[in-house]
Amino acid sequence: MRPIEKPRRRDPAPSRWAFRLHRWWLTPAVRRFARVGVPALISICACTYVFSQPHNRTVLRDMVAEIRRTIAERPEFMVNLMAIDGASEELAIDIREILPLDFPVSSFDLDLKEMRAIVEDLDAIASADLRIRPGGILQLDITERVPALVWRTGSYLELLDGEGRRIAALPSRDTRPDLPLIAGAGADRAAAEALALMSAARPIADRVRGLVRVGERRWNVVLDRNQRILLPATDAFAALEQVVALNQAQDLLARDVRVIDMRVPDRPTLRISDKAVTSLLRIRGVTPTTGEEQP
């Protein structure tokens, strides 16, 4: 008879591969990937497969559009009219023409930032504030530019503000006779200086016809009776004040003077008319030989 073999006891120690797998599983990154990464990867693959089908994409777009339309067309989001404050009647008409809104319209369909930029592009508008008021009212508050000068450029007349910004075209000078007239290339860029000169010329304002920009660097003051004051390129304000003071002291502009040249303030020059030259020569006992103007 064969001897009875005793059963071998199972070794409780794990195998080498089981031990390594168990240690690998205990790694935090692996456990995190198993809990989060694997489900996320499966979800991404599923979504990619679903939305790779054109029909599914169309259905989703239509669903989103319908949800948005349902929300946007609710009464509390509808705008029924536009109110414009701070603008003249003509300007309000221009604003309504450049903002052709078909009321009622959803507030979701209004780009207030873009609409504001469009309105502020109008020459006559300095700034605009656009908002939606309760009750479905699109409120537009306008700050208009204040006319300060009339600029003659070529055969056209432009209305300018104090900074030289264009406001509108003028059909004729008689439309705004209350505003000073400037002319010449670059006169709009020196609007502030022109206003300062008009302020200095206030004592002779009834004689001033306008200012002419010369060479885009200096001014000539044009008076009635065909008189002119030539101002320097620098410190023109002081030169004009000097002329005004001389006129108040000696009635300079009431004399037969054609041009007062202040381009060299330390040496002002007067140019008198032909008639005055002739009279002066006769007083000195000199027979006049020419009718040209003399300094």
Side-chain angles (χ1 to χ4, degrees):
M1 291 180 62
R2 293 181 179 180
I4 299 176
E5 296 180 358
K6 294 181 179 181
R8 295 181 179 179
R9 293 182 178 180
R10 184 176 177 274
D11 188 358
S15 65
R16 180 180 299 178
W17 284 106
F19 175 77
R20 289 181 177 178
L21 288 174
H22 183 68
R23 293 296 301 272
W24 182 67
W25 174 250
L26 293 178
T27 304
V30 174
R31 294 176 67 88
R32 191 179 303 111
F33 176 77
R35 288 195 308 266
V36 179
V38 173
L41 184 61
I42 294 174
S43 300
I44 292 173
C45 293
C47 292
T48 302
Y49 172 76
V50 170
F51 292 112
S52 64
Q53 307 299 321
H55 173 72
N56 295 336
R57 293 199 300 270
T58 302
V59 170
L60 181 63
R61 281 197 300 265
D62 293 343
M63 184 184 303
V64 172
E66 180 63 23
I67 294 173
R68 182 187 182 281
R69 185 191 64 79
T70 302
I71 297 175
E73 293 183 357
R74 292 178 63 88
E76 57 267 30
F77 297 127
M78 297 301 293
V79 178
N80 300 307
L81 57 90
M82 179 169 62
I84 302 176
D85 292 336
S88 62
E89 183 177 353
E90 296 79 6
L91 184 57
I93 294 175
D94 293 340
I95 292 174
R96 295 184 187 277
E97 288 180 354
I98 64 172
L99 295 177
L101 300 176
D102 187 13
F103 296 105
V105 61
S106 174
S107 59
F108 286 85
D109 297 328
L110 298 178
D111 189 343
L112 299 184
K113 185 176 181 180
E114 181 181 0
M115 293 170 62
R116 176 183 175 183
I118 293 174
V119 172
E120 289 183 341
D121 279 342
L122 291 175
D123 293 329
I125 295 179
S127 64
D129 181 43
L130 198 63
R131 67 185 187 278
I132 298 177
R133 286 169 41 193
I137 300 175
L138 180 62
Q139 180 66 43
L140 181 58
D141 295 322
I142 297 298
T143 301
E144 290 193 56
R145 300 190 186 279
V146 179
L149 295 165
V150 176
W151 177 35
R152 183 184 298 278
T153 168
S155 59
Y156 300 98
L157 291 173
E158 302 283 352
L159 197 61
L160 306 179
D161 68 359
E163 298 178 354
R165 296 180 180 273
R166 181 185 184 276
I167 296 178
L170 284 182
S172 67
R173 174 70 173 123
D174 296 336
T175 306
R176 293 302 303 265
D178 57 311
L179 297 179
L181 177 68
I182 60 175
D188 57 325
R189 295 189 292 273
E193 184 182 10
L195 290 174
L197 292 175
M198 294 302 297
S199 176
R202 189 174 293 120
I204 57 172
D206 58 329
R207 301 271 325 269
V208 177
R209 292 293 174 263
L211 300 176
V212 177
R213 191 70 170 167
V214 181
E216 299 190 26
R217 64 184 184 86
R218 68 174 193 86
W219 293 98
N220 284 349
V221 182
V222 181
L223 308 176
D224 58 1
R225 295 174 49 198
N226 198 26
Q227 291 179 319
R228 289 176 177 261
I229 303 174
L230 311 186
L231 298 177
T234 59
D235 207 6
F237 187 86
L240 183 56
E241 282 189 325
Q242 184 178 352
V243 174
V244 171
L246 286 173
N247 179 67
Q248 292 176 336
Q250 303 179 9
D251 288 332
L252 177 62
L253 297 177
R255 303 177 186 275
D256 203 357
V257 176
R258 297 290 299 277
V259 176
I260 304 175
D261 192 343
M262 300 294 294
R263 288 177 292 181
V264 182
D266 295 336
R267 192 179 60 186
T269 303
L270 303 181
R271 187 180 305 167
I272 60 179
S273 65
D274 296 344
K275 182 179 178 180
V277 171
T278 302
S279 300
L280 180 62
L281 292 177
R282 286 176 179 173
I283 291 173
R284 294 179 177 179
V286 179
T287 302
T289 58
T290 178
E292 295 181 357
E293 289 187 356
Q294 298 294 328

